[in-house]
Amino acid sequence: MKTDTTMWLTLVYSCTGGAALLYALYRWVIPTAVQYHGGLALIWHDVIVEPMLDTLTQSTRPQRLLSAVQKNATRGDPRSVVQAIDQFCRHKEWAMNVGDEKGCILDSVVSEINPATVLELGTYCGYSTVRIASLLPPHAKLITLEFNPNYASIARQVIAWAGLEDKVQLVEGASGDWIPKMKEQFGVKTFDLVFLDHWKDRYLPDTKLIEECGLLTKGSVLLADNVICPGTPDYLEYIRSSPQYESQYFKSHLEYTKVEDGLEKSVFLG
């Protein structure tokens, strides 16, 4: 009898110790390790953690992000919405927003340009949309394109919680389909600022399409995120070698990590 009890206690202790070790690996060890490696960070957060949490919680990452906003942000206060998302992404669950560090660069560019018309490619959950819209002058127009309808649904609620729905027009669909329709559908002649943060292999073809459609004027600014990680080498080669642009790289880090990334600001010279 004593032997059986000892065996059971040993088994319980082993299971408890194993569970504690797995939790430590999941909660601290692996997240700390991948902070310094872009590829591993993206695999860990997007390929491993996200599907696991989706299964365990029966919800999606964007839905969990929205819940964090509704729980922690003040309705009608864009800054508190941004802060709630940053807190969620730094301390709860990583997400592919432009992030707090690069977000400050985005803010400074928007404030510098003071644009009347903005096109954002890739809304995701509306984080950068809120940052941009909160800094726009009265009567400015921000059009943001999102291909994924589930992301778009969450983004609308995040934008509304920030009290910015009147400043933002969120359009669902492929950028390649909508860019040629901008003038006809939305009455936009040109954009003062274009923020690229969608599929990285679309940066270059969409930039060329924007040019072809005459949506840039002298002084228009293209601001591209994630040009180092995951990276957009074809876009950088084009934009930096083109005589039509004057480009500047702003070194930073991949959102909520220590991995190098940055924003490329390119001024259209006409």
Side-chain angles (χ1 to χ4, degrees), residues 211 216-222 244-246 266-270:
E211 293 170 356
L216 300 178
T217 188
K218 185 176 181 180
S220 293
V221 171
L222 305 182
Q244 294 186 99
Y245 296 95
E246 183 178 281
S266 306
V267 180
F268 185 68
L269 302 177

Side-chain angles (χ1 to χ4, degrees), residues 80-156:
S80 76
V81 170
V82 168
Q83 289 168 4
I85 295 175
D86 284 333
Q87 285 293 313
F88 173 80
C89 293
R90 278 209 176 273
H91 303 294
K92 295 288 186 180
E93 188 177 348
W94 185 91
M96 57 180 179
N97 311 302
V98 68
D100 46 5
E101 188 178 346
K102 287 184 294 181
C104 291
I105 301 171
L106 173 61
D107 290 353
S108 67
V109 172
V110 174
S111 298
E112 173 195 349
I113 299 170
N114 198 32
T117 51
V118 181
L119 174 62
E120 178 184 39
L121 301 179
T123 317
Y124 188 44
C125 294
Y127 174 89
S128 52
T129 313
V130 169
R131 293 196 82 121
I132 296 169
S134 67
L135 296 170
L136 293 180
H139 311 300
K141 179 179 291 188
L142 167 56
I143 299 171
T144 181
L145 300 184
E146 176 51 56
F147 180 77
N148 187 314
N150 295 319
Y151 294 167
S153 174
I154 296 296
R156 283 194 180 90

Side-chain angles (χ1 to χ4, degrees), residues 44-231:
W44 171 249
H45 293 298
D46 284 343
V47 179
I48 299 174
V49 174
E50 183 176 8
M52 180 181 68
L53 290 178
D54 288 354
T55 300
L56 290 174
T57 65
Q58 292 298 294
S59 65
T60 65
R61 177 178 285 167
Q63 288 171 339
R64 295 188 290 275
L65 184 149
L66 174 62
S67 295
V69 168
Q70 294 171 335
K71 179 180 179 182
N72 300 306
T74 303
R75 188 186 289 270
D77 182 352
R79 289 294 110 182
S80 76
V81 170
V82 168
Q83 289 168 4
I85 295 175
D86 284 333
Q87 285 293 313
F88 173 80
C89 293
R90 278 209 176 273
H91 303 294
K92 295 288 186 180
E93 188 177 348
W94 185 91
M96 57 180 179
N97 311 302
V98 68
D100 46 5
E101 188 178 346
K102 287 184 294 181
C104 291
I105 301 171
L106 173 61
D107 290 353
S108 67
V109 172
V110 174
S111 298
E112 173 195 349
I113 299 170
N114 198 32
T117 51
V118 181
L119 174 62
E120 178 184 39
L121 301 179
T123 317
Y124 188 44
C125 294
Y127 174 89
S128 52
T129 313
V130 169
R131 293 196 82 121
I132 296 169
S134 67
L135 296 170
L136 293 180
H139 311 300
K141 179 179 291 188
L142 167 56
I143 299 171
T144 181
L145 300 184
E146 176 51 56
F147 180 77
N148 187 314
N150 295 319
Y151 294 167
S153 174
I154 296 296
R156 283 194 180 90
Q157 296 176 74
V158 170
I159 293 163
W161 197 272
L164 295 169
E165 62 268 41
D166 292 339
K167 280 192 171 186
V168 178
Q169 182 144 14
L170 196 161
V171 180
E172 291 182 37
S175 53
D177 294 335
W178 276 107
I179 288 170
K181 301 176 184 177
M182 284 291 150
K183 293 187 176 184
E184 178 186 352
Q185 293 288 327
F186 304 108
V188 176
K189 293 182 179 179
T190 57
F191 288 103
D192 298 324
L193 173 64
V194 178
F195 181 51
L196 298 93
D197 196 17
H198 56 329
W199 293 107
K200 309 314 164 192
D201 60 0
R202 290 300 310 174
Y203 280 27
L204 182 54
D206 283 346
T207 294
K208 290 182 176 180
L209 186 57
I210 288 168
E211 293 170 356
E212 292 167 8
C213 293
L215 290 169
L216 300 178
T217 188
K218 185 176 181 180
S220 293
V221 171
L222 305 182
L223 187 65
D225 187 23
N226 300 127
V227 295
I228 302 299
C229 184

